[in-house]
Amino acid sequence: MEGTEQLTKRQMKALQTRENLLKAGRAVFLENGFQKATMTQINKMAHTGYGTAYVYFRNKDELFVELMETIMQKMYEVADLPFRPKTKEEAFSQIQKQTQLFLKAALEEKAIMQIVKEAIGASEIVSEKWNNIRTRFINGITTDIDFVQKTGLARPDLDASLIAKGWFYMNEQLMWDLVLEEVDEDFEKVAVNLVKLYTGGLYQ
C-alpha cells in the first residue's frame, strides 16, 4: 500500500514539474520569441534543477510542440463539432459558425500564435507538428464534404480531399493574416466572405 502511495506522489510531482516547465516555457517564448528562447531560461523560471527539464523535453522544440497541442485544443473542439446538415441553409450556418470560432480561437491566443508562426519557419520539429495539425483538420473537412456529397447537398463531381485542402489553406492564410495583423478586417467579416466563396462553389 505504501509503495502505491509513494508512486502516486511521485507521479503527481512529475506531472507538476512538467506543468511548471510548460508554464515557464510559454512565458519565456512570449518574452523572447522562439529563436532567442533557451531551455536554460525555461529551467530557471520553472525553478527546476539543472538537467531535470531534459527528462521531460529533450529541447525547446519538443516543449514548444507540447505547448502547441494545448493551444490548438480550442480549434480541435471547433473542428470536431458534429456536422450533419439536412439543408444547404443549415450547412451554411454551421460552416460560418465553425469558421468564426476557428478564427476567434486563434485571435484569443494571438501573442503565442505569433510565436507559433515564427517557430514553424525556424524548427523542423515544429514545422512537422504544424503539418500534422493541418492533416488532422483537412481529414475532418474531407469527411464533412463526403457527407454532404452523399446526401445530395454538394456537387458530387468535386474531389472532396482537394476541396478540403483548399478550404483549410484559405482559412489558415487568413488566420495568419489576422494574427500577424496584416489585414485590417473584423474576423467575423472575414469568415462570412470565406464561407460565401466556399459554399457558393461546393453546394448545388
Side-chain angles (χ1 to χ4, degrees), residues 7 19 86 126 184 199:
L7 183 64
E19 188 61 34
K86 292 182 174 63
V126 176
D184 186 26
T199 54

Coordinates of all heavy atoms in Angstrom, one line a residue, residues 7 19 86 126 184 199:
L7 N 4.3 5.9 -5.2 CA 4.3 6.0 -6.7 C 3.4 7.1 -7.1 O 3.7 7.9 -8.0 CB 3.9 4.7 -7.3 CG 3.9 4.6 -8.8 CD1 5.3 4.7 -9.4 CD2 3.3 3.3 -9.3
E19 N 4.2 20.5 -15.8 CA 3.3 21.6 -15.9 C 4.0 22.9 -15.7 O 3.8 23.9 -16.4 CB 2.1 21.5 -14.9 CG 1.0 22.5 -15.1 CD 0.3 22.5 -16.4 OE1 0.2 21.4 -17.0 OE2 0.0 23.5 -16.9
K86 N -29.1 19.0 -42.8 CA -30.2 18.5 -43.6 C -30.5 19.4 -44.8 O -31.2 18.9 -45.8 CB -31.4 18.2 -42.8 CG -31.2 17.1 -41.7 CD -32.5 16.8 -41.0 CE -32.4 15.6 -40.0 NZ -31.4 15.8 -39.0
V126 N 8.8 21.7 -35.2 CA 7.6 22.5 -35.1 C 6.9 22.5 -36.4 O 5.6 22.3 -36.5 CB 7.9 23.9 -34.6 CG1 6.6 24.7 -34.6 CG2 8.5 23.9 -33.2
D184 N -6.6 44.4 -41.9 CA -7.4 45.3 -41.0 C -8.9 45.0 -41.2 O -9.6 45.8 -41.6 CB -7.0 46.7 -41.3 CG -7.7 47.6 -40.2 OD1 -7.9 47.1 -39.1 OD2 -7.9 48.8 -40.5
T199 N -19.0 27.9 -50.0 CA -20.2 27.2 -50.1 C -20.8 27.5 -51.5 O -21.5 26.6 -52.1 CB -21.3 27.6 -49.1 OG1 -21.4 29.1 -49.1 CG2 -20.8 27.2 -47.7

